[in-house]
Amino acid sequence: MTQHHSTTVKRTFKHLSDIDRGQLQAMYRSGLYTQKEMADILGVSQSTVSRELKRGMVEQVKLVNGKREHYESYFPDVGARVYQENRERSRAKDIVKYDQDFFSALQKALKPPKGELRIHSVDTFTHQYQKDNPDKRVPCTKTVYNLIDRGELDVRNIDLPRKTSLRPRRKKPTEPHGTNKRKLGRSIEERDPAVLTREAFGHWELDLVIGKKTKGEPVILTLLERQTRYYVTKKLWDKSPEYIREAMLKIIEEHGPQNFKTITTDNGSEFATLSKLEDTCEHLGVYYAHAYASWEKGSNERHNGMLREFIPKGVSLRDLTYKRLKQCTNALNMKLRRTLGYACPQELYDQKRQEMSQAS
């Protein structure tokens, strides 16, 4: 039978005050109360009373028929002093107890020399170092972040671009509130809901990364495979619909049409002819997200943000070389991901492509 009301008493985790300790002393010395009864009167757990009595016990001596007898009695001032000493000793230990080579390597990984690209986060580096050095004492990811926040390392929060730009998560998912004024193709509502599970390979998200917002500026076409988080970029000198469609055809041909099942993008005018890919590529579906609903292709948006670490906003892309863009893309594809079981997208993507080629 289902119970609709919980019978479990909520724990309060209350600390004893000086008044509570005085009351506890009076009840203890009267000998009329059990520990459970004293705990109920004070509004704490029985374990709290038991620990407090042990802390405050002091050995005493009394004469009985001319003989000295030893006994223990509770003193609240002793209990309070021992409690405070324990609290002071319970603080986090210095970083000296950890492997010092870890912190040196962490700084090099998170603050690479000029010209080199960062491929590690705090979490992935900590995981990899623990894996490579199982016999060394290494702090956990949370501890490393705490040390950075307290300023105990040479790495600062400003050295972690993603951390300083993160926003609090919404408590409730937002429903799309925009309407697509122009119908460029099939809506994301027609897409198979199974795409959201990421269980199948070959579902992509598409977007553009813009440099300066001036006419004639080049752009970066970005594609992301949802299951493996593999990231594809291509610098384009024109963002007209036909030019982008031709660029997409080349990317599909390069990576194999069998590896493309769906492509999801937004309703920008530059993607107006993208749905024509369905006429060229067999078994490919092109879908358009709702207006003002960037989270419907959130994986691509997040990787575009990661790309901004290397290619900041507002900077012209004219001087961006193809070689440099490829280096930036490779850095993201070689970055270990906790969500992938600390594998890198490049490794998983190559594995999936091989499986698909063998199947076909």
Side-chain angles (χ1 to χ4, degrees):
M1 181 177 177
T2 303
Q3 295 185 4
H4 298 285
H5 300 284
S6 174
T7 57
T8 304
V9 178
K10 184 178 180 180
R11 300 174 66 185
T12 60
F13 300 99
K14 177 183 173 184
H15 292 253
L16 295 174
S17 65
D18 291 340
I19 296 177
D20 292 332
R21 288 187 171 91
Q23 191 175 359
L24 178 63
Q25 181 188 36
M27 290 187 291
Y28 176 77
R29 290 189 174 181
S30 71
L32 301 176
Y33 302 90
T34 64
Q35 286 189 5
K36 180 66 170 63
E37 291 170 339
M38 289 187 283
D40 291 340
I41 293 173
L42 296 176
V44 297
S45 70
Q46 182 177 346
S47 298
T48 300
V49 170
S50 176
R51 287 192 294 267
E52 176 61 26
L53 290 175
K54 290 180 180 178
R55 279 194 293 261
M57 285 298 177
V58 178
E59 187 175 350
Q60 302 288 297
V61 179
K62 64 180 179 180
L63 290 174
V64 178
N65 297 328
K67 294 183 179 180
R68 298 161 62 96
E69 289 189 1
H70 295 263
Y71 69 98
E72 288 186 331
S73 184
Y74 170 75
F75 288 85
D77 55 337
V78 175
R81 176 176 55 80
V82 174
Y83 168 79
Q84 191 59 39
E85 290 175 353
N86 292 341
R87 291 282 292 177
E88 292 176 358
R89 286 198 300 269
S90 67
R91 64 180 177 84
K93 306 295 188 298
D94 290 333
I95 64 175
V96 179
K97 68 177 183 178
Y98 298 113
D99 175 48
Q100 297 305 297
D101 291 337
F102 166 81
F103 296 108
S104 300
L106 176 70
Q107 180 182 353
K108 293 178 181 177
L110 299 183
K111 299 172 64 176
K114 188 175 182 180
E116 295 185 15
L117 301 177
R118 184 172 69 91
I119 63 171
H120 270 298
S121 65
V122 171
D123 180 64
T124 59
F125 177 80
T126 302
H127 173 84
Q128 191 64 44
Y129 195 91
Q130 289 174 332
K131 183 178 178 181
D132 296 339
N133 303 274
D135 298 330
K136 294 185 178 180
R137 189 168 190 179
V138 179
C140 67
T141 299
K142 175 62 176 174
T143 298
V144 176
Y145 274 119
N146 289 341
L147 293 172
I148 293 174
D149 290 338
R150 295 201 298 264
E152 297 185 29
L153 301 181
D154 293 331
V155 179
R156 300 289 185 266
N157 281 320
I158 196 63
D159 300 318
L160 309 173
R162 291 296 302 169
K163 184 179 181 184
T164 54
S165 63
L166 287 178
R167 298 178 183 178
R169 285 181 177 270
R170 296 179 185 270
K171 292 184 178 179
K172 294 183 179 179
T174 305
E175 293 294 331
H177 59 273
T179 56
N180 297 332
K181 295 182 180 179
R182 49 181 181 265
K183 187 174 178 60
L184 305 180
R186 287 189 286 176
S187 168
I188 193 173
E189 295 178 359
E190 301 178 47
R191 192 181 69 176
D192 187 350
V195 175
L196 293 174
T197 65
R198 302 181 191 267
E199 294 179 358
F201 174 73
H203 300 286
W204 298 76
E205 296 176 358
L206 173 67
D207 202 359
L208 290 182
V209 170
I210 300 173
K212 278 190 173 181
K213 295 183 179 180
T214 55
K215 189 175 182 180
E217 275 287 313
V219 296
I220 300 175
L221 181 71
T222 64
L223 267 169
L224 180 114
E225 200 286 312
R226 286 179 53 83
Q227 186 185 53
T228 62
R229 274 67 165 191
Y230 182 76
Y231 196 52
V232 177
T233 62
K234 189 177 184 64
K235 181 178 177 180
L236 304 179
W237 290 90
D238 185 5
K239 59 175 182 177
S240 64
E242 287 300 327
Y243 194 85
I244 287 182
R245 186 173 67 86
E246 290 297 325
M248 276 302 306
L249 281 173
K250 292 179 181 179
I251 292 175
I252 292 174
E253 182 180 352
E254 178 184 352
H255 290 264
Q258 71 275 10
N259 298 317
F260 288 80
K261 296 177 181 176
T262 67
I263 296 176
T264 303
T265 186
D266 57 45
N267 279 266
S269 59
E270 59 271 15
F271 303 126
T273 63
L274 206 62
S275 58
K276 293 182 179 179
L277 291 174
E278 296 180 346
D279 301 330
T280 309
C281 306
E282 189 179 4
H283 307 306
L284 174 64
V286 178
Y287 300 92
Y288 291 87
H290 294 95
Y292 310 107
S294 58
W295 64 87
E296 291 183 334
K297 51 184 182 65
S299 295
N300 182 281
E301 294 284 352
R302 184 179 187 278
H303 281 71
N304 290 346
M306 294 166 67
L307 183 65
R308 290 295 190 186
E309 179 181 341
F310 312 130
I311 306 172
K313 285 185 177 181
V315 176
S316 175
L317 302 178
R318 288 184 176 275
D319 297 330
L320 176 66
T321 64
Y322 298 107
K323 180 180 179 181
R324 177 64 176 178
L325 178 58
K326 185 175 181 180
Q327 290 174 340
C328 298
T329 308
N330 289 342
L332 296 180
N333 285 328
M334 294 304 294
K335 188 188 290 286
L336 302 182
R337 309 295 174 84
R338 179 170 57 181
T339 189
L340 299 176
Y342 294 99
C344 68
Q346 182 72 60
E347 174 187 342
L348 294 181
Y349 182 72
D350 291 342
Q351 178 183 338
K352 289 294 182 179
R353 282 190 67 182
Q354 184 178 1
E355 292 175 1
M356 293 296 290
S357 62
Q358 291 175 351
S360 59

